[in-house]
Amino acid sequence: MRPGLLSLIAAFGLCVSASCLRAEEPPSPSSRAEAVKIIADMRRIVTPDGVERHEKVRIGGIDQWVSIRGNDRRNPILLMVHGGPGWVSMPTSWYFQRGWEEYFTVVQWDQRGAGSTYAANDPAAVAPTITPERMVADTEEMVGWLRKEFGKEKIFVLGHSWGSYLGLEVARRHPNWLYAYIGIGQMTNMPESERQGWQFAMEEARKAGNAEAIKELESIAPYAKGTTPVPLTSLMIQRKWLNQYGGMVYRRTGGQAESAAMALSPEYTDRDVALIGEASGYSLDKLLSHALTLNLSDSVKRLDCPLILFLGRHDHNVSSSLGEAWFQKVQAPSKRLVWFENSAHEVMNEEPGKTLISLVQYVRPLANESLDEAKARGVLKAGSP
């Protein structure tokens, strides 16, 4: 290749290293370790005031893993409380979160009994503590630790699915801790959500003429009757066909792509990745029956902090139509509902660009408003970050 041509290519930012020019070499990566290193290098925080931490925090008497990332530690804290129970978001955050980190210091937390926190503890010893009350208390402790660790009076809490129950409880109990509460896949009337999910799957199966699906769904009818906990075997049948027809991830047949992406997490060791499924089953066994009998529409009628919901139009895993109905009735100092027309339950993965824009446009300004109020009261001096 002529020197002049090399200069021209370099001027346009194209690769001219020896490794790029050796066509005979197999493409990288050839292993999980190589792939993880590439992702870690690409998303490395390099700004002078940035924060990039991955560590264990003592919460509720056990070690619990967090990832804390952002370009400027003066930005507001955004704690994401993952779903499931046990469906961790830390190992896919490398895909959907990088843009958030320019506007927030983002905290991913593997809850008790989930992900790398499960791997770091003795499951048998932790098992008696996996209760709804302890999970809420852990969330309160995590928020308290973040406020103290970063010297913040308030933070944002974003709850996804099961995490929307935990996050909403913190918002209800401690509104003064939060700039706002953000719900994605917001849980409301879960028995009715389950019934509507079964109906969706049955209607789609009939449209498709799927005799197998119709037979299996009929075998669990009447499904989610009253407030009786749904047996796990029945739930798996409902979810099998709900997922098949795009009720979890729009126009896909489930969360296989997200599950596969977890293996590329720079935060996770090989052992952590291998135990993701085991941890999820462990958490579901202990918390799912409670989650599916919750009716937050009746128990949460008022919040004393701002409320924002990001709802997928096609979410039948946790009914977005029921989320909208609750949103219309709940009272809050301010509230906003943002619809994601090409999403089901995994909004941040299905429409990551719109998620980022919505966080910047609707969520981030609430921290500025809070600071302005504090300055007006004389709590903070003008010019404080």
Side-chain angles (χ1 to χ4, degrees):
M1 186 177 289
R2 299 190 305 275
L5 183 57
L6 280 175
S7 298
L8 180 63
I9 292 173
F12 282 92
L14 301 180
C15 177
V16 295
S17 68
S19 62
C20 289
L21 298 175
R22 291 194 199 107
E24 70 276 8
E25 289 188 358
S28 182
S30 60
S31 66
R32 176 179 183 268
E34 286 186 16
V36 164
K37 184 178 185 303
I38 290 169
I39 292 170
D41 286 346
M42 278 292 292
R43 67 173 193 153
R44 187 161 56 95
I45 302 293
V46 298
T47 49
D49 295 317
V51 54
E52 185 172 15
R53 294 165 57 173
H54 179 229
E55 62 195 76
K56 291 183 286 188
V57 180
R58 198 73 176 172
I59 296 291
I62 66 170
D63 289 337
Q64 304 200 31
W65 277 97
V66 294
S67 165
I68 308 172
R69 298 175 47 85
N71 282 15
D72 190 333
R73 64 182 60 248
R74 294 171 298 182
N75 280 335
I77 302 288
L78 173 64
L79 169 65
M80 183 168 183
V81 187
H82 68 70
W87 185 247
V88 283
S89 54
M90 187 189 299
T92 53
S93 62
W94 63 266
Y95 169 73
F96 65 80
Q97 181 183 291
R98 186 63 187 93
W100 303 11
E101 295 162 9
E102 296 179 33
Y103 303 93
F104 304 88
T105 298
V106 186
V107 182
Q108 292 289 345
W109 160 44
D110 282 4
Q111 298 163 26
R112 178 183 302 259
S116 50
T117 296
Y118 172 86
N121 292 279
D122 176 5
V126 173
T129 71
I130 307 287
T131 66
E133 295 78 14
R134 182 65 256 174
M135 302 301 285
V136 172
D138 280 359
T139 311
E140 291 173 314
E141 283 194 39
M142 181 58 69
V143 173
W145 180 79
L146 289 168
R147 292 170 65 227
K148 182 178 179 180
E149 181 73 7
F150 287 89
K152 304 287 189 181
E153 182 182 356
K154 296 183 179 184
I155 72 168
F156 290 106
V157 167
L158 186 160
H160 176 233
S161 194
W162 157 256
S164 73
Y165 158 62
L166 301 178
L168 194 58
E169 279 297 295
V170 172
R172 185 177 65 82
R173 300 179 187 194
H174 308 285
N176 57 311
W177 291 2
L178 307 184
Y179 294 122
Y181 165 71
I182 307 104
I184 297 180
Q186 181 63 51
M187 293 173 62
T188 53
N189 184 338
M190 291 309 296
E192 180 59 23
S193 177
E194 287 299 304
R195 288 188 284 270
Q196 289 189 10
W198 180 91
Q199 189 64 42
F200 162 80
M202 178 61 84
E203 289 174 359
E204 294 300 311
R206 286 173 175 157
K207 288 178 190 176
N210 189 330
E212 179 188 1
I214 293 169
K215 182 179 179 180
E216 289 192 7
L217 288 166
E218 285 179 340
S219 75
I220 60 174
Y223 179 77
K225 186 177 181 180
T227 57
T228 304
V230 176
L232 186 58
T233 53
S234 297
L235 176 78
M236 291 299 103
I237 292 172
Q238 189 256 32
R239 287 296 194 275
K240 171 185 175 181
W241 296 111
L242 182 150
N243 290 354
Q244 177 66 30
Y245 293 114
M248 177 188 176
V249 185
Y250 181 50
R251 297 182 67 85
R252 291 179 182 260
T253 57
Q256 295 92 333
E258 185 178 10
S259 297
M262 289 180 173
L264 299 178
S265 170
E267 284 88 2
Y268 270 39
T269 65
D270 290 348
R271 180 171 180 268
D272 291 340
V273 171
L275 291 175
I276 288 174
E278 180 180 310
S280 180
Y282 171 90
S283 294
L284 287 171
D285 180 62
K286 292 165 178 58
L287 295 168
L288 187 64
S289 61
H290 174 78
L292 297 187
T293 57
L294 287 168
N295 186 350
L296 303 178
S297 297
D298 287 345
S299 61
V300 183
K301 298 182 179 181
R302 175 186 175 85
L303 288 179
D304 291 321
C305 68
L307 166 68
I308 299 173
L309 294 188
F310 293 173
L311 298 182
R313 181 69 72 179
H314 308 278
D315 191 352
H316 298 281
N317 194 66
V318 175
S319 171
S320 57
S321 63
L322 291 175
E324 179 187 23
W326 171 75
F327 175 86
Q328 297 300 339
K329 294 179 180 179
V330 69
Q331 296 182 0
S334 66
K335 59 182 185 177
R336 181 182 294 273
L337 191 161
V338 183
W339 281 107
F340 289 74
E341 300 295 341
N342 295 303
S343 293
H345 193 57
E346 299 294 322
V347 164
M348 60 280 183
N349 286 301
E350 297 178 80
E351 295 184 70
K354 184 171 181 178
T355 302
L356 171 60
I357 290 171
S358 300
L359 286 169
V360 173
Q361 185 174 0
Y362 304 126
V363 176
R364 182 62 175 79
L366 294 173
N368 295 338
E369 290 173 12
S370 182
L371 286 173
D372 289 342
E373 291 171 4
K375 289 171 184 175
R377 295 195 311 270
V379 177
L380 292 175
K381 295 180 179 179
S384 298

